[in-house]
Amino acid sequence: IAEEAAEVEADAVVTVGNSAEPAAEEKSVQHVEVAESGRWDGPEVDSEQRQLRYRRPAVSVWGNAVNPAARGNGQFSGTLAGVDFNPGVGIIESGDLSYLPPVEFGLGLRFALSERWSIGLGADYSLLSRKFTGLFLDPHDLPVSYTSIVNTQHWLGARANIYYSILSSDKVDFYVRAGAGAQWCLANDYAMKNDSRSDNWSSKVDATQFTVGAGFGIQYALGRRVAIYLDPSLNYWFKNEEVPKSSRTVSPLGFGAELGLRFQL
């Protein structure tokens, strides 16, 4: 009788062990399926918030967080107050040339193509500034030397980007992007000063400068519909002889970073 009881107990242990194995195997298979699908394995509320991100367009407002300046020397001549080109009118740079960091901000709209792919369209504004000493040449007057000449350029642009989400959760989205854009010069002004006088000069610019760029970004959700993001990138500005001298013509390949907010609609 004792031997029969021991055999029954052993059979029960084996039965329990075998019944536990399919459950563990099923859990392991489920975990693998979730990992291979690329979906976030978290609470249901997390999934709903991520679906909100991917199914609705997002509006972004940004400004440049990092955009180093350049240094150099050179010459520039152009038109005076919109008058036709005249080789005798212009500015000759003599030295002490410095470029201030560009000031940029923009507005964009991002649309989801799938859970990982999205496309972004936007408009941006740039203020480029440089300071130097030089001579102002006018065929109707003697050359005037100025100890301070500040050139400010106002640019308006349009851009398009494609985004791919590498790793995403309810709170954090890590992605890469690549895109292209174009900018048009709205104004190119010079403020000139010396010890005895100050003058202003404007050069009309009818040119387009194109750019391409690529980078990565990280986005962190502050709430259900608001997120903050940082987007470092490497950008290249194509050469155009009609574009006035700026940090983008002197150093066409440069590093930048956008810092902004995204709002889910």
Side-chain angles (χ1 to χ4, degrees):
I1 295 175
E3 292 179 357
E4 292 179 356
E7 291 178 0
V8 171
E9 183 178 356
D11 292 340
V13 172
V14 172
T15 302
V16 172
N18 292 338
S19 64
E21 288 178 1
E25 182 179 356
E26 180 180 354
K27 182 177 180 181
S28 176
V29 172
Q30 182 181 6
H31 176 74
V32 171
E33 289 177 351
V34 171
E36 291 180 350
S37 67
R39 291 179 287 108
W40 176 255
D41 186 13
E44 186 64 24
V45 65
D46 291 354
S47 177
E48 292 178 0
Q49 291 183 350
R50 292 185 69 247
Q51 289 298 326
L52 176 66
R53 180 194 308 163
Y54 291 114
R55 290 180 179 178
R56 292 179 178 271
V59 175
S60 59
V61 181
W62 59 269
N64 60 316
V66 177
N67 213 329
R71 300 188 64 86
N73 291 302
Q75 295 184 351
F76 175 81
S77 62
T79 59
L80 176 60
V83 182
D84 292 341
F85 180 76
N86 183 346
V89 179
I91 292 177
I92 297 180
E93 301 171 7
S94 59
D96 297 328
L97 176 61
S98 62
Y99 295 87
L100 300 179
V103 176
E104 304 176 39
F105 57 86
L107 183 67
L109 191 60
R110 183 172 169 179
F111 302 91
L113 303 177
S114 67
E115 186 172 309
R116 291 189 179 274
W117 291 95
S118 60
I119 188 172
L121 303 174
D124 54 78
Y125 166 82
S126 300
L127 174 63
L128 308 180
S129 303
R130 61 192 184 111
K131 184 178 180 180
F132 56 94
T133 60
L135 294 173
F136 178 72
L137 304 180
D138 188 339
H140 305 294
D141 200 354
L142 295 174
V144 180
S145 176
Y146 293 94
T147 56
S148 174
I149 302 177
V150 178
N151 174 217
T152 56
Q153 303 172 19
H154 303 266
W155 293 80
L156 184 64
R159 61 168 64 186
N161 285 291
I162 188 75
Y163 298 85
Y164 179 76
S165 178
I166 298 176
L167 181 63
S168 182
S169 70
D170 175 46
K171 289 290 187 181
V172 179
D173 184 26
F174 183 77
Y175 59 87
V176 292
R177 72 166 179 89
Q183 287 203 339
W184 299 268
C185 187
L186 304 178
N188 183 34
D189 302 322
Y190 295 82
M192 305 175 289
K193 295 181 180 180
N194 57 25
D195 294 336
S196 60
R197 59 186 292 179
S198 61
D199 299 288
N200 294 308
W201 185 58
S202 296
S203 174
K204 184 179 180 180
V205 178
D206 186 14
T208 303
Q209 190 169 23
F210 296 95
T211 180
V212 293
F216 65 92
I218 183 169
Q219 174 177 303
Y220 181 80
L222 301 177
R224 183 173 175 80
R225 294 181 180 270
V226 183
I228 187 172
Y229 73 94
L230 179 64
D231 193 334
S233 62
L234 188 65
N235 305 286
Y236 180 80
W237 295 88
F238 290 96
K239 184 178 180 180
N240 186 341
E241 297 293 344
E242 298 181 356
V243 171
K245 187 176 182 179
S246 69
S247 57
R248 294 172 177 172
T249 61
V250 174
S251 302
L253 182 64
F255 172 80
E258 297 176 9
L259 178 64
L261 295 174
R262 285 196 177 101
F263 304 90
Q264 300 294 145
L265 299 181

